[in-house]
Amino acid sequence: MMDRKKRILEILREKNEVTAKELANVFKVSEMTIYRDIKQLEKTGEIIRKHGSILLNTKENKESKTVDTCPICEKAITRSHPYKIVIEDKKTLEACCEHCGFLLHKKYEDKEVSAITYDFITENPITAFNAYFVVASSAKPCCSPSVIPFSSKEDAEKFAKGFGGKVLNFFEAYNEIVNSTNRNIKSCCQPQTIKLSDLKKGE
Ligand SMILES: [Zn+2]
Ligand SMILES: [Zn+2]
């Protein structure tokens, strides 16, 4: 474990930029395992993440860090662990939250995708398809109806007891969001919508 993190840093010193997928191939471990390493390296401030890539936390890399926006609602992605979809093992897309993540799935419904979400309490990465989601609770960290992920059904049920909402599996939650927001995708996120072009104008 120690060694792998050290090796990751060595690789970064050589290549400057890698993806979790590449690292998973190098170490012959799952991407999930790599994400755990990355999370710790991020905590200690040794690396940063940008556009789904991993970079050393240097001044140059930091300054070139641009604001990513959600491809669905155009809101700036501020979460350190956004919902992540990998399309056909190549392209990584990040959404502001699970709500927009599901709408992103809808866009790529006939493609081979994997998706990673993060447990609301532990922040551990989970394969989204195995997660439980509390949909439409009174907690609204981002877009509504809100979708909050948990790795265990029990935790999701506990959360729903306190904050309301329905505990659903991936496909149930996906259907719920896709059907409830089809009419006007952007309206769910409107108050906090931001356009990068507007930001530039303000400078
Ligand atoms: Zn969004
Ligand atoms: Zn959102």
Side-chain angles (χ1 to χ4, degrees), residues 75 96-97 142-143:
K75 194 189 292 185
C96 60
C97 64
C142 198
C143 307

Side-chain angles (χ1 to χ4, degrees), residues 102 128-129 131 133 168-177:
F102 287 170
F129 310 134
F133 300 90
L168 302 174
N169 68 26
F170 177 85
F171 288 104
E172 292 165 339
Y174 169 78
N175 281 326
E176 185 89 6
I177 292 304

Side-chain angles (χ1 to χ4, degrees), residues 79 97-99 102 133-137 139 141 143 145-149 173 177:
R79 261 169 72 176
C97 64
E98 284 62 27
H99 172 114
F102 287 170
F133 300 90
V134 177
V135 175
S137 67
C143 307
S146 64
V147 181
I148 299 182
I177 292 304

Side-chain angles (χ1 to χ4, degrees), residues 82-123:
Y83 191 88
K84 203 175 301 244
I85 294 181
V86 183
I87 298 148
E88 289 173 346
D89 269 357
K90 288 183 285 232
K91 204 167 146 201
T92 301
L93 291 174
E94 294 182 338
C96 60
C97 64
E98 284 62 27
H99 172 114
C100 282
F102 287 170
L103 296 175
L104 204 54
H105 276 300
K106 171 82 185 151
K107 236 173 126 177
Y108 295 96
E109 63 183 347
D110 43 5
K111 299 248 194 259
E112 190 87 20
V113 298
S114 60
I116 291 171
T117 187
Y118 294 83
D119 185 280
F120 187 68
I121 295 165
T122 62
E123 284 187 34

Side-chain angles (χ1 to χ4, degrees), residues 10-54:
E10 275 168 22
I11 291 170
L12 280 170
R13 267 176 224 119
E14 265 170 42
K15 293 181 65 178
N16 191 45
E17 193 171 337
V18 287
T19 62
K21 170 112 199 137
E22 286 167 349
L23 290 175
N25 286 338
V26 170
F27 295 107
K28 306 218 178 340
V29 294
S30 70
E31 254 177 274
M32 226 36 103
T33 304
I34 294 294
Y35 278 117
R36 284 195 196 100
D37 291 344
I38 290 169
K39 200 179 153 190
Q40 288 175 30
L41 288 169
E42 218 176 2
K43 251 187 199 158
T44 54
E46 286 166 286
I47 60 156
I48 55 168
R49 286 202 272 164
K50 185 177 130 187
H51 303 295
S53 289
I54 301 144

